[in-house]
Amino acid sequence: MTDGIRVALVTGANKGIGLEIARQLAQAGVRVIIGARDDGRARAAVDDLASQGLVAHSVRLDLDDEDSITDAAATIAAEHGRLDILVNNAGIFDTADGPPGTASLAAVRRVMETNFLGTLAVTQAMLPLLRAAPAGRIVNLSSSLGSLTLNGDPASPYYSQRFIGYNASKAALNMLTIQLHEALRDTPIVVNSVSPGFVKTDLTGYGTMTPEEGARLPVRHALGGDESGQWFGPAGETPW
Ligand code: NAP
């Protein structure tokens, strides 16, 4: 499609913060593609948005399945021709994760596989489509738990949250943000990490914000702002 409407892919958009990011992007007039690993859950999300008069597309996308990622990129290329916005939202937390001395290695591997390697694979597959857009934008959903600085600061509320797998996966995601920003310096593509805040979803089970509130900052950076290679959180710039 060559009309001026921006096209966005949101990974893990069938629930939680991702679904609200998809909703708010659709409300802003963006053509939204819901990435979900389960067709039924994808359909439910599309129907949910449709009940509010919002049109959304969907594509099967499992971060742990490289073929699904390649197929999703081919589908988006065929149906939309480009990608203006990629929101790398999909992610997991594993209850067998924990402090470095005792965390389940299998859990750490699962979390790194999805949150970092899966996101890297999606980003690589979507880059040609982002390059085909006039001003591509990548938003990586990070977490303050991924801050090396805050993990080493006893005064930080995140200091006691020792999840070696999850925290390292978000620190690695931040590395992707910085390296990609540097690699894309000569292009109009903008790439940033954004922390949504502490949001009550299935991932956390509790939190101080609703998914709707948690979606606002990622959406703001998906839609605008020229800064690139930065990390934004509800309190402003976050220390790496
Ligand atoms: P959530 O409600 O559990 O939603 C996670 C989404 O990711 C779901 O749609 C899930 O799909 C999808 N997903 C998980 N593994 C996937 C895979 N292998 N392939 C494709 N999709 C997959 O969690 P959330 O709280 O909204 O989290 C969204 C993002 O924000 C995550 O990256 C998380 O780390 C980050 N974050 C959250 C908070 C918070 O306070 N909630 C704070 C900081 C950062 P299924 O339904 O199929 O499982």
Side-chain angles (χ1 to χ4, degrees):
M1 277 181 204
T2 52
D3 58 39
I5 298 174
R6 283 183 285 180
V7 181
L9 169 66
V10 185
T11 67
N14 56 284
K15 68 174 183 181
I17 299 167
L19 175 58
E20 297 310 314
I21 291 172
R23 193 189 316 277
Q24 290 173 27
L25 287 175
Q27 284 166 341
V30 173
R31 186 172 289 132
V32 171
I33 306 164
I34 291 190
R37 56 179 160 177
D38 178 90
D39 287 337
R41 277 174 246 163
R43 243 188 334 270
V46 169
D47 290 348
D48 179 345
L49 298 196
S51 72
Q52 292 183 312
L54 300 168
V55 177
H57 304 254
S58 71
V59 68
R60 200 183 87 76
L61 183 61
D62 182 343
L63 269 62
D64 301 332
D65 174 357
E66 274 186 51
D67 287 346
S68 85
I69 295 171
T70 312
D71 291 350
T75 300
I76 295 169
E79 293 181 1
H80 305 279
R82 65 169 201 280
L83 203 54
D84 298 86
I85 299 165
L86 169 63
V87 183
N88 280 318
N89 166 80
I92 59 168
F93 178 81
D94 197 304
T95 50
D97 197 355
T102 53
S104 150
L105 277 180
V108 173
R109 201 169 278 127
R110 278 194 293 274
V111 172
M112 290 299 290
E113 190 70 43
T114 301
N115 294 5
F116 176 58
L117 286 164
T119 301
L120 176 61
V122 169
T123 306
Q124 288 183 348
M126 301 303 160
L127 258 186
L129 290 163
L130 287 152
R131 287 183 190 276
R137 316 190 71 85
I138 301 171
V139 175
N140 291 326
L141 266 283
S142 192
S143 162
S144 299
L145 294 176
S147 165
L148 299 178
T149 305
L150 299 182
N151 272 265
D153 176 3
S156 165
Y158 304 102
Y159 181 75
S160 59
Q161 305 298 306
R162 301 268 165 224
F163 303 107
I164 187 65
Y166 185 82
N167 297 16
S169 76
K170 295 301 185 181
L173 184 67
N174 287 340
M175 183 63 77
L176 173 62
T177 295
I178 289 186
Q179 288 207 0
L180 208 50
H181 160 69
E182 294 302 331
L184 297 172
R185 257 187 189 284
D186 296 335
T187 78
I189 301 175
V190 162
V191 47
N192 289 301
S193 283
V194 178
S195 303
F198 189 26
V199 184
K200 187 173 188 310
T201 63
D202 289 348
L203 186 141
T204 53
Y206 55 102
T208 55
M209 297 163 74
T210 63
E212 186 186 347
E213 291 166 339
R216 286 195 191 129
L217 200 56
V219 166
R220 191 188 311 158
H221 287 282
L223 290 176
D226 293 331
E227 294 137 304
S228 186
Q230 307 292 309
W231 184 9
F232 302 101
E237 233 171 277
T238 313
W240 296 109

